[in-house]
Amino acid sequence: MSRTSTEESELFNGPQKVSATEECIGPMRLTQEPIQVLLVFAKEDGQSDAFWWACDRAGFRCNIARTPESAIECFLDKSHEIVVIDGRHSRYFEAEAVCRLIRATKRSEHTVILAVVPQTPSGQEEQSVLPLLCAGFSRRYVENSSVSACYNELLQIEHGEVRCQFKLRACNSVFTALDHCQEAVEITSEDHVIQYVNPAFECMMGYHKGELIGKELTELPKSDKNRADLLDTINTCIKKGKEWQGIYYARRKSGDSIQQHVKITPVIGQGGKIRHFVSIKRPHSDNNKQVHKINKDGEHSQSESHSLRHRDRRKESVDTRSISSRGSDAPSLQNRRYSSVARIHSMTIEAPITKVINIINAAQESSPVSVAEALDRVLEILRTTELYSPQLASKEDDPHTNDLVGGLMSDGLRRLSGNEYVFSKSTFPNLSQSQLAIPVTLNDIPPAIAEMLDDEDQWEFNILELEAATCKRPLTYLGLKIFARFGVCEFLSCSEATLRCWLQIIEANYHASNSYHNSTHAADVLHATAYFLRKEKVKGSLEQLDEVAALIAATVHDVDHPGRTNSFLCNAGSELAILYNDTAVLESHHAALAFQLTVSDSKSNIFKNIDRTQFRTLRQAIIDMVLATEMTRHFEHVNKFANSINKPMAAIEESSSNSEGSDSEGPASIRNSPENRLLIKRMMIKCADVANPCRPLELCIEWAGRISEEYFAQTDEEKRQGLPVVMPVFDRNTCSIPKSQISFIDYFITDMFDAWDAFASLPGLMEHLSENYKYWKGLDDMKCKSLRPAPPP
């Protein structure tokens, strides 16, 4: 094969054979990609060709560099396992100098570097290899342009040094795992000299590893609580090569004793003899409550109670900003919006998660110690399974938050205690619900209702007044107006009469007896969805099919809601819970029933005139949005939106603002991709579904009373039926509504609406949210547990 000479800085890939080797090291299996080889030869000749073809025969991947600079560049890019440096012609470069440059990089720690040296003339004494070793070379190869000789040399390196380096790299992984293990690990030599302790051991015993490594176990203080013959029993067992485990008292540095469950395993090494002992220790009995905690000064404390381990990490990092921002004036809303979005971005969690972990691991290599330690804590979080669920406070700290968040986000039963409270139930005005005719067309709407609907495009639109005027049937009237505004009938090729029948059927299947989840709530969510759809960025991101799907999804999203939570239905073994396997029970039912009702009668089938493909697309979009209202995936949806929409758009807008003649196509392309349109629609209906805290104060108070009454009714029924009480603080005799609202805003509303506001620009909503939060905080500070402050005496 003939290859032309390259320019000084040129790099090019040699033969590549896509194969990988597998090797087991103890119980650990390593999968190694084809070995990477870098040839550093200034000129192409028979020797460089021989190594080239030897790499091809061995199935290695090969690169060639002609200069020291290009060699370093290529090595930093590929991290080769083997580097071959031509040391025969010093007029081109000094082989020792190139080797030192490579060894100066951290990546060369596990690299084998081979020096090609000229043959020693006959009669001359062979030169010492010491200068080569001092320069960092691992081996030398006496010039021989035989492909077989080069091939044999590479095979010897692969089966010798390279495999050893693989094992060393595996050891690094094992020790990294030990460093992050929660159990205390101690490794001693065969003579019981301490070789290694992990951070968990330091934490448990109060020692720093520098005080322990190199000391014999006999030098450390012993607890006098062990029976006299216990140490002899342990030694007799492990010296026979048998594992020992049992209860043992150890003495901390502070002098107090700790009862541990200990497992000591002998490790067989060279010569088939015991070379090490590995001890794994964890606190026993009451000492289970001792956990490792980092205090405010960043120092380690060792005797915090177990309850502190579940202290709300999210609130520690978030609430300072939340509280201070709500206490500030309105002009700071803009800063709060972007600072909170930045905070959401800092929680970057993207698929595949392994890629993220690998990137962080790579970043640690070149980071200062403080940064590397912080990244360690990040990795601990990323390796958990519940990436999007916040850590809840202990019940002593905030039972309202525990019950509210736990009740909404899980199907498991929870039993926590509540506070004292007497609820003043809000009432509807006395209305006749029987004699209000539903209009045939929009033109037939009664004047008083039509006048109300003129303001439906305003966020401050009072849905409760429409509820009263329509005798608790606001959904049909508002639906006719909003669907007409968005051209839904034209898009679906259906008549207004068909739409009217459909709205009536859907509204009839909402339970008017529910204080909260009734057709007024559905109308409220429809109104919010329509309001969001009119915002510039939202409208510019979605197609008309998306808009129609969003409006339909908002209309049906809680149809046939029984006024009970998913947890209640699962605990009660309801037919719906059995049908949907205790998973997103209500949301699945709402979506399924909506389509059953729609297609059951041609008079109300709004989809009857669209083609099958369009129907399938529309159906999928509606189902996806309804299922997005289920709360167990709340944090997942919010984080995906922030990371996939807000973060890239913010980066593009920032770079565009720093350059003249910027193009706005970048942000639009991000928003308009099918995947991101899906995220926008999910976020939109989620925000519309729980927008009550962002409504004007009087509406916010009314909705808070209604949802509390529904939760009270559920608690009453759970007690009557002997079911697990999902949210015990929602006992009508003990609950604090202000506390429940504060918890709901802190955990679910603030971050989500900050992210949505950053996208859709909703300063009015954020003003209401801030004012409403201050209202609930004021009531709570006054120890008031009802919806409104007590009247003056």
Side-chain angles (χ1 to χ4, degrees):
M1 173 181 177
S2 174
R3 290 178 280 110
T4 60
S5 176
T6 64
E7 298 292 335
E8 268 200 79
S9 61
E10 184 180 4
L11 305 173
F12 57 91
N13 290 324
Q16 298 183 4
K17 190 174 182 179
V18 182
S19 62
T21 59
E22 281 197 0
E23 181 176 5
C24 289
I25 299 176
M28 182 174 178
R29 179 175 295 278
L30 300 178
T31 301
Q32 175 61 35
E33 291 299 316
I35 291 175
Q36 302 265 6
V37 179
L38 174 61
L39 305 180
V40 186
F41 284 80
K43 298 292 182 182
E44 180 182 346
D45 61 8
Q47 186 64 73
S48 67
D49 283 348
F51 272 111
W52 174 278
W53 288 113
C55 288
D56 184 44
R57 182 187 298 183
F60 298 165
R61 291 177 176 171
C62 183
N63 300 100
I64 293 181
R66 298 301 188 200
T67 66
E69 295 77 14
S70 59
I72 294 297
E73 181 183 348
C74 188
F75 179 76
L76 290 176
D77 180 51
K78 301 289 187 181
S79 301
H80 305 80
E81 283 80 22
I82 301 173
V83 178
V84 181
I85 302 177
D86 186 8
R88 297 169 297 161
H89 311 293
S90 60
R91 65 181 180 274
Y92 297 119
F93 52 71
E94 290 288 343
E96 289 87 347
V98 177
C99 183
R100 289 190 185 96
L101 286 172
I102 294 176
R103 286 296 183 205
T105 66
K106 189 171 182 180
R107 299 186 181 189
S108 69
E109 181 182 1
H110 301 296
T111 299
V112 179
I113 305 182
L114 177 68
V116 178
V117 300
Q119 292 184 355
T120 303
S122 176
Q124 282 190 15
E125 186 176 352
E126 189 170 336
Q127 292 184 347
S128 170
V129 298
L130 188 58
L132 296 175
L133 294 174
C134 292
F137 283 102
S138 310
R139 297 167 65 103
R140 71 167 186 172
Y141 176 81
V142 178
E143 180 179 15
N144 185 339
S145 57
S146 164
V147 174
S148 295
C150 294
Y151 174 70
N152 289 334
E153 180 71 14
L154 292 175
L155 287 185
Q156 290 180 70
I157 293 174
E158 178 193 11
H159 288 269
E161 290 95 324
V162 170
R163 288 196 175 182
C164 289
Q165 296 298 342
F166 287 167
K167 293 180 180 180
L168 288 175
R169 278 188 273 183
C171 287
N172 285 343
S173 300
V174 172
F175 279 105
T176 299
L178 291 176
D179 283 345
H180 293 85
C181 179
Q182 293 184 357
E183 293 182 315
V185 178
E186 174 191 67
I187 300 177
T188 64
S189 68
E190 55 193 305
D191 300 321
H192 302 295
V193 176
I194 298 174
Q195 308 286 306
Y196 168 86
V197 293
N198 69 343
F201 185 96
E202 297 175 85
C203 202
M204 179 189 292
M205 302 305 298
Y207 289 97
H208 185 271
K209 62 182 177 182
E211 302 173 277
L212 297 174
I213 294 176
K215 284 192 175 183
E216 291 188 20
L217 291 178
T218 54
E219 298 179 51
L220 300 179
K222 300 290 186 296
S223 173
D224 55 5
K225 293 189 176 182
N226 296 307
R227 69 177 194 270
D229 63 339
L230 181 59
L231 285 178
D232 290 336
T233 301
I234 295 173
N235 283 326
T236 301
C237 178
I238 61 178
K239 283 183 178 179
K240 293 179 180 178
K242 297 180 179 180
E243 184 179 89
W244 181 89
Q245 60 178 317
I247 306 302
Y248 179 82
Y249 283 92
R251 187 179 295 280
R252 287 195 177 102
K253 184 179 179 180
S254 61
D256 58 325
S257 294
I258 176 174
Q259 191 180 25
Q260 301 171 331
H261 182 276
V262 180
K263 179 165 69 174
I264 305 176
T265 304
V267 180
I268 306 299
Q270 185 179 6
K273 296 183 178 180
I274 296 172
R275 298 297 181 182
H276 293 92
F277 296 102
V278 175
S279 301
I280 300 175
K281 309 179 181 185
R282 63 175 180 271
H284 180 71
S285 186
D286 292 340
N287 291 311
N288 275 331
K289 296 183 180 179
Q290 302 293 335
V291 297
H292 172 54
K293 179 178 179 288
I294 298 178
N295 62 26
K296 291 182 180 178
D297 298 324
E299 297 174 351
H300 298 287
S301 61
Q302 302 157 27
S303 55
E304 295 294 323
S305 69
H306 179 71
S307 65
L308 288 179
R309 192 170 77 183
H310 296 287
R311 188 176 297 281
D312 183 10
R313 298 177 185 172
R314 182 170 175 272
K315 292 191 73 172
E316 288 174 357
S317 63
V318 171
D319 281 5
T320 301
R321 194 277 313 155
S322 299
I323 294 171
S324 63
S325 66
R326 293 192 185 94
S328 60
D329 295 332
S332 67
L333 285 173
Q334 188 79 353
N335 293 333
R336 176 167 69 86
R337 180 176 66 152
Y338 288 104
S339 65
S340 75
V341 171
R343 173 167 43 75
I344 293 175
H345 295 162
S346 70
M347 300 160 58
T348 305
I349 303 173
E350 298 171 341
I353 193 65
T354 51
K355 184 179 292 186
V356 174
I357 292 175
N358 290 337
I359 292 171
I360 294 175
N361 280 327
Q364 281 184 301
E365 294 183 4
S366 57
S367 299
V369 174
S370 59
V371 176
E373 290 176 351
L375 291 176
D376 279 337
R377 292 194 291 274
V378 172
L379 289 173
E380 287 181 20
I381 296 170
L382 291 181
R383 290 183 178 114
T384 64
T385 55
E386 294 298 326
L387 295 178
Y388 295 99
S389 298
Q391 304 272 329
L392 301 184
S394 65
K395 68 177 181 180
E396 292 81 6
D397 290 339
D398 191 352
H400 287 80
T401 297
N402 265 12
D403 280 7
L404 181 66
V405 179
L408 292 176
M409 294 194 63
S410 71
D411 293 326
L413 59 93
R414 301 167 55 81
R415 297 179 180 274
L416 301 176
S417 61
N419 297 334
E420 297 178 358
Y421 167 70
V422 176
F423 174 69
S424 300
K425 180 180 177 183
S426 59
T427 58
F428 292 108
N430 293 323
L431 298 171
S432 171
Q433 300 190 28
S434 59
Q435 301 301 324
L436 185 65
I438 299 298
V440 176
T441 68
L442 276 173
N443 297 327
D444 296 327
I445 291 180
I449 297 176
E451 185 177 351
M452 288 182 187
L453 292 175
D454 286 341
D455 296 329
E456 59 83 19
D457 59 342
Q458 302 299 311
W459 180 252
E460 288 71 22
F461 175 72
N462 194 324
I463 195 70
L464 301 181
E465 290 182 357
L466 182 65
E467 175 191 63
T470 60
C471 300
K472 297 188 180 182
R473 288 184 288 179
L475 184 58
T476 299
Y477 290 89
L478 184 65
L480 284 170
K481 181 68 179 291
I482 289 177
F483 278 46
R485 179 188 291 272
F486 283 87
V488 174
C489 288
E490 291 80 1
F491 180 82
L492 296 175
S493 299
C494 74
S495 66
E496 190 176 304
T498 302
L499 174 64
R500 174 179 54 81
C501 288
W502 178 78
L503 286 168
Q504 286 181 276
I505 287 176
I506 296 298
E507 184 158 34
N509 279 274
Y510 276 93
H511 298 194
S513 58
N514 291 343
S515 60
Y516 182 88
H517 287 101
N518 48 43
S519 70
T520 305
H521 167 65
D524 186 61
V525 175
L526 174 61
H527 172 264
T529 302
Y531 182 83
F532 295 151
L533 285 172
R534 288 191 289 268
K535 305 308 286 185
E536 182 181 351
K537 279 190 179 177
V538 179
K539 189 172 183 62
S541 303
L542 303 179
E543 299 173 355
Q544 190 177 9
L545 184 143
D546 299 313
E547 294 179 350
V548 172
L551 295 172
I552 294 173
T555 303
V556 306
H557 83 283
D558 271 335
V559 66
D560 197 39
H561 196 293
R564 300 292 181 263
T565 64
N566 278 333
S567 296
F568 177 94
L569 297 180
C570 294
N571 288 334
S574 70
E575 292 183 6
L576 286 179
I578 294 171
L579 176 63
Y580 293 110
N581 301 311
D582 292 351
T583 304
V585 176
L586 284 172
E587 293 73 24
S588 299
H589 174 60
H590 302 323
L593 180 63
F595 282 96
Q596 290 173 0
L597 294 172
T598 301
V599 302
S600 61
D601 190 335
S602 177
K603 294 179 181 178
S604 59
N605 186 357
I606 57 176
F607 304 127
K608 62 186 175 183
N609 293 327
I610 61 176
D611 63 63
R612 179 178 296 274
T613 301
Q614 191 176 45
F615 172 72
R616 294 294 301 175
T617 305
L618 192 63
R619 170 177 159 80
Q620 190 57 50
I622 294 167
I623 292 172
D624 184 83
M625 293 184 72
V626 174
L627 293 181
T629 63
E630 196 250 339
M631 293 301 289
T632 60
R633 295 180 63 191
H634 169 83
F635 294 99
E636 177 182 352
H637 291 317
V638 173
N639 277 273
K640 283 183 177 179
F641 179 85
N643 286 306
S644 298
I645 308 292
N646 291 54
K647 187 173 182 179
M649 286 182 59
I652 291 175
E653 289 171 359
E654 181 179 355
S655 62
S656 298
S657 65
N658 296 331
S659 60
E660 297 182 0
S662 59
D663 188 357
S664 62
E665 289 300 316
S669 64
I670 291 174
R671 302 193 309 263
N672 294 340
S673 71
E675 298 81 6
N676 289 347
R677 293 207 318 272
L678 190 71
L679 298 180
I680 291 170
K681 287 183 291 184
R682 288 174 180 172
M683 191 72 162
M684 177 170 59
I685 197 169
K686 281 182 61 60
C687 289
D689 189 27
V690 292
N692 307 332
C694 300
R695 293 290 189 180
L697 178 60
E698 286 305 312
L699 292 176
C700 174
I701 293 172
E702 176 66 19
W703 285 119
R706 293 186 178 197
I707 190 63
S708 298
E709 172 58 29
E710 199 161 286
Y711 288 157
F712 294 158
Q714 174 171 309
T715 301
D716 292 343
E717 185 172 353
E718 286 167 335
K719 291 179 179 179
R720 285 197 304 271
Q721 295 188 17
L723 295 173
V725 179
V726 175
M727 295 180 284
V729 296
F730 281 98
D731 185 313
R732 66 176 68 252
N733 298 314
T734 59
C735 181
S736 167
I737 291 182
K739 284 185 182 295
S740 68
Q741 286 298 304
I742 291 167
S743 296
F744 185 65
I745 292 171
D746 278 338
Y747 275 83
F748 293 109
I749 299 301
T750 301
D751 289 346
M752 180 168 71
F753 271 91
D754 280 342
W756 186 235
D757 172 43
F759 174 74
S761 185
L762 304 161
L765 276 71
M766 304 311 288
E767 285 272 12
H768 288 310
L769 177 60
S770 179
E771 291 304 313
N772 294 340
Y773 189 85
K774 289 177 185 177
Y775 174 81
W776 297 121
K777 286 288 287 184
L779 290 182
D780 189 46
D781 292 342
M782 292 188 294
K783 309 299 182 185
C784 176
K785 297 180 180 180
S786 58
L787 289 168
R788 302 178 188 276

